[in-house]
Amino acid sequence: IRVVNKVGEPVWTHVTTRPLIGSDGLPIGALTTIRPAKLLQQLDEERIRAEERFKAGIERAPNGVLILDPTGVVSAANDASCVFLDRNREQIVGSNWVDCFDAADRDTLSEAFDAATRETGTRSPGSFDFRGQFRCVSHRGESRWIALGLHIVFSKGAADFGMVQLFDRTARVERD
């Protein structure tokens, strides 16, 4: 909404109104918040910069990192995870994360993920940790043991995500 500030200049604002509910459950009024749109733009720009720093940190991580959506589908994978899983990024991103592991381990991993989403999905924010050693399966069908850490974080809104960290002392990505 465009309003005029106290010095007579037009200013674009973001207006939200929420009902105020009394102890008897009935509405007793409304709370209206007016924020300059410029402030929201600055906050959004800072959020974008923070996301870029987060993504850059993950890409430089020596451990494999998979970022999951709340359904368990991989939305991002760093170079080290590609090395650990012996798959390219296109084979990992868009797939269910447990499909990268041996069929004998998939039920255990799926149950851990389901427990994490149940445990944290009802609380916000929340987190869940699960660790173990599992057999990953390469795109050629070869199997090898790696250590895995599953860290699920749920927060309000579209920022819900989970993170799988892959640890393997024999397969490190060399950095300059």
Side-chain angles (χ1 to χ4, degrees), residues 110-157:
S110 290
E111 288 169 10
F113 184 79
D114 291 345
T117 55
R118 271 193 315 276
E119 189 171 311
T120 61
T122 58
R123 290 182 241 126
S124 187
S127 66
F128 175 89
D129 286 301
F130 173 79
R131 299 188 192 294
Q133 291 204 7
F134 299 92
R135 292 179 302 274
C136 67
V137 180
S138 73
H139 69 283
R140 294 183 299 276
E142 299 167 349
S143 179
R144 68 187 175 96
W145 288 94
I146 64 169
L148 173 144
L150 171 62
H151 183 70
I152 304 293
V153 176
F154 281 90
S155 60
K156 292 183 180 174

